[in-house]
Amino acid sequence: SRLTTYVSLCLSQEYWDEVNPKHVTFFEHGIVGQSVGHAHLHIFPVSLNIGANARQDFPTSELEVLRDIETLPHRWANRSSPYLLWSTSGFGPTLCWNPAAPRQYFRTISAHLLGYPSRADWKTMDPLLDKRMWEGTVERLKKRLERVPFKS
């Protein structure tokens, strides 16, 4: 999609010049075990196979592959159901409808896959380290992401 391609470009310019859409993982919790009442994407400049975990952990949940992430608001408006959303390794965005996922499910999976399980839950993570990390990320990417070349 245009969004993931643009974010991938920003990440590659800021980080390694090796990142492309196949090296970006993103997820969104929907309203599954969420602690905030709005949608927000978690984006990693690395490919993590979090979809394998979701497929294994929620075998009875319906999966839906989206054409692109921009179709998510329409799909959710039609269903208004809890979901998990992810995309990684060049696969299209995938929705898992009504999973019995615990709070911070994809954060926990991602933190374990990255080798930092203690950073899975922002509520129990060292608050000074968390603040330093997110402020650094925002500062590094702000100058690139504030110039989004398209509007939804």
Side-chain angles (χ1 to χ4, degrees):
S1 75
R2 294 180 307 160
L3 175 64
T4 52
T5 300
Y6 182 72
V7 168
S8 298
L9 174 65
C10 290
L11 290 170
S12 70
Q13 290 171 342
E14 187 59 37
Y15 289 93
W16 304 289
D17 260 344
E18 296 175 7
V19 177
N20 64 48
K22 292 182 179 179
H23 297 127
V24 172
T25 299
F26 72 80
F27 65 84
E28 206 276 308
H29 298 288
I31 55 174
V32 174
Q34 186 169 292
S35 57
V36 295
H38 62 271
H40 60 279
L41 291 176
H42 299 255
I43 303 170
F44 295 92
V46 63
S47 181
L48 300 172
N49 192 7
I50 60 176
N53 293 81
R55 285 181 181 91
Q56 178 181 327
D57 292 345
F58 314 114
T60 60
S61 292
E62 177 188 348
L63 297 179
E64 178 181 352
V65 178
L66 301 178
R67 182 174 24 93
D68 56 51
I69 192 171
E70 286 87 2
T71 62
L72 175 60
H74 175 72
R75 295 299 305 128
W76 188 80
N78 287 339
R79 298 207 39 176
S80 297
S81 298
Y83 66 85
L84 293 172
L85 169 73
W86 72 90
S87 182
T88 189
S89 299
F91 293 100
T94 304
L95 283 166
C96 179
W97 292 105
N98 291 310
R103 183 169 105 31
Q104 304 293 323
Y105 174 75
F106 274 145
R107 279 184 66 118
T108 302
I109 298 297
S110 299
H112 283 277
L113 290 172
L114 290 167
Y116 296 100
S118 65
R119 297 182 186 170
D121 187 343
W122 62 271
K123 288 184 178 182
T124 60
M125 187 176 156
D126 174 350
L128 294 177
L129 175 61
D130 184 45
K131 185 174 193 278
R132 190 174 77 238
M133 290 176 72
W134 71 256
E135 283 180 343
T137 300
V138 167
E139 190 59 37
R140 288 182 76 172
L141 294 177
K142 179 171 49 174
K143 62 185 176 279
R144 298 188 188 282
L145 292 175
E146 67 189 8
R147 297 186 316 261
V148 176
F150 58 88
K151 298 289 180 198
S152 296

